Amino acid sequence: MGLFGFGKSAGALPDLGALPVEQAIARLRALPAAQMNRAAGSVLYSARARPAALDDQIALFDAIAALPGLAAHHRANARIARSHKALELGDAAALSAGLPALLALGPEIAGFPPSDDIRQDRCHVTFSRAYVGLNAALMLGDGALLSELMDEALAAARHHLDAPLPGGFYRSSANVMRCLAFALVARRHGTEPAQRAALATLAQQVFSRALDLRPPAGRSTKARKVATGIPMPDAEFMRTAALAQLLTRWAEASAGGTLDETIGALAVAQRTPDQRDRLSAAWQAQRQ
């Protein structure tokens, strides 16, 4: 088999991650549509197939999103991924530059079908976009966008929970729950007890549906570890469960603000300590 799973008859593809980003983009553009889509998917979904520098990854993802003939779910995931990399880099200018295209994805994603492949599934990609958009609004200090995206996320959560969900919702639930946590900084549910109770109910529904779809023990193939090295095969689901519990406690407390910082630490994107600290500080600034 050739690189990225191609047989020899299909022609081995270059190692795009090892090429200067301009050359990698040129090679992608020169491929026939089917191979281009497979190569783009490899770059999008495998860190080993990308250049090491985050700014190069952003440039590559932007170029992938602009490729003619690219599958719609690859394009959506490319724009989502480039926003995550801009967050990780802490580059407000790069984040702002990609925001219009990210926000414009909403109607296209709404047309995706339900799928057992989470990269193509309407619910999963909806909340991938919502979550990175909320983090972007938080980092940029855009309170109006934060509230707008929060309203969208709440409506989407209610819509998807009213319908049958694919098995992949077990994985999707982490982003759904984090989006619900952003209601704290969107200032939509902090004052009215009924609104707080409704948010807690929604969080419990998300957790319950995800729990119903959790794979049986022994089927997980990727064991993850936390920073301490303790085995955590379901780290994201544990975060989902913790947020469900904390949001319920927050809704029931007479002064829920005491839990805001803890919820924020679990809600914001945290690929690196610097990213976590930047967004946690922005979370606190929005709460003041």
Side-chain angles (χ1 to χ4, degrees), residues 4 26-27 50 53 71 87 111 136 143 169 185 189 200 214 220 233 238 275:
F4 303 126
R27 294 289 184 91
R50 307 171 195 158
L87 282 168
F169 185 75
V185 295
H189 303 272
R214 189 179 189 181
S220 176
M238 291 178 183
Q275 181 181 359

Side-chain angles (χ1 to χ4, degrees), residues 12-274:
L13 293 179
D15 183 354
L16 300 178
L19 293 173
V21 67
E22 295 83 2
Q23 291 185 28
I25 292 168
R27 294 289 184 91
L28 275 171
R29 288 173 177 160
L31 290 171
Q35 292 189 15
M36 178 266 289
N37 270 279
R38 293 179 66 182
S42 294
V43 173
L44 286 170
Y45 311 127
S46 173
R48 292 177 295 179
R50 307 171 195 158
L54 291 175
D55 53 353
D56 283 345
Q57 290 187 38
I58 291 170
L60 187 54
F61 292 151
D62 279 340
I64 287 173
L67 288 169
L70 188 72
H73 68 282
H74 286 334
R75 180 169 292 107
N77 287 317
R79 288 175 174 158
I80 291 166
R82 69 89 62 207
S83 294
H84 272 296
K85 294 306 171 183
L87 282 168
E88 192 175 340
L89 193 60
D91 188 332
L95 195 60
S96 295
L99 200 53
L102 180 75
L103 297 178
L105 287 171
E108 183 175 25
I109 295 172
F112 287 7
S115 174
D116 289 332
D117 180 352
I118 60 171
R119 293 162 180 160
Q120 303 184 51
D121 176 57
R122 177 173 56 212
C123 179
H124 188 85
V125 183
T126 289
F127 284 97
S128 292
R129 168 191 173 268
Y131 181 59
V132 75
L134 285 164
N135 278 278
L138 186 67
M139 180 173 161
L140 296 172
D142 191 335
L145 179 59
L146 195 64
S147 292
E148 178 184 338
L149 291 175
M150 189 64 254
D151 287 343
E152 284 186 18
L154 287 170
R158 294 187 178 104
H159 171 74
H160 285 286
L161 288 171
D162 283 342
L165 292 166
F169 185 75
Y170 164 69
R171 291 183 62 185
S172 308
S173 64
N175 277 344
V176 180
M177 193 70 74
R178 291 169 190 162
C179 286
L180 298 186
F182 266 84
L184 290 171
V185 295
R187 299 183 178 180
R188 293 294 193 188
H189 303 272
T191 57
E192 297 294 331
Q195 290 178 315
R196 293 161 65 98
L199 179 65
T201 298
L202 192 56
Q204 289 298 329
Q205 289 174 339
V206 170
F207 177 68
S208 177
R209 296 290 292 276
L211 190 61
D212 288 344
L213 293 167
R214 189 179 189 181
R219 285 187 56 188
S220 176
T221 58
K222 293 184 179 180
R224 298 187 179 184
K225 294 185 179 181
V226 294
T228 58
I230 300 171
M232 291 278 275
D234 289 322
E236 289 189 3
F237 190 69
M238 291 178 183
R239 184 175 287 115
T240 302
L243 278 171
Q245 182 180 39
L246 286 169
L247 286 172
T248 300
R249 288 174 54 197
W250 171 80
E252 293 172 347
S254 58
T258 56
L259 294 174
D260 289 0
E261 185 173 351
T262 303
I263 292 171
L266 289 171
V268 298
Q270 46 190 315
R271 185 173 293 274
T272 66
D274 285 346

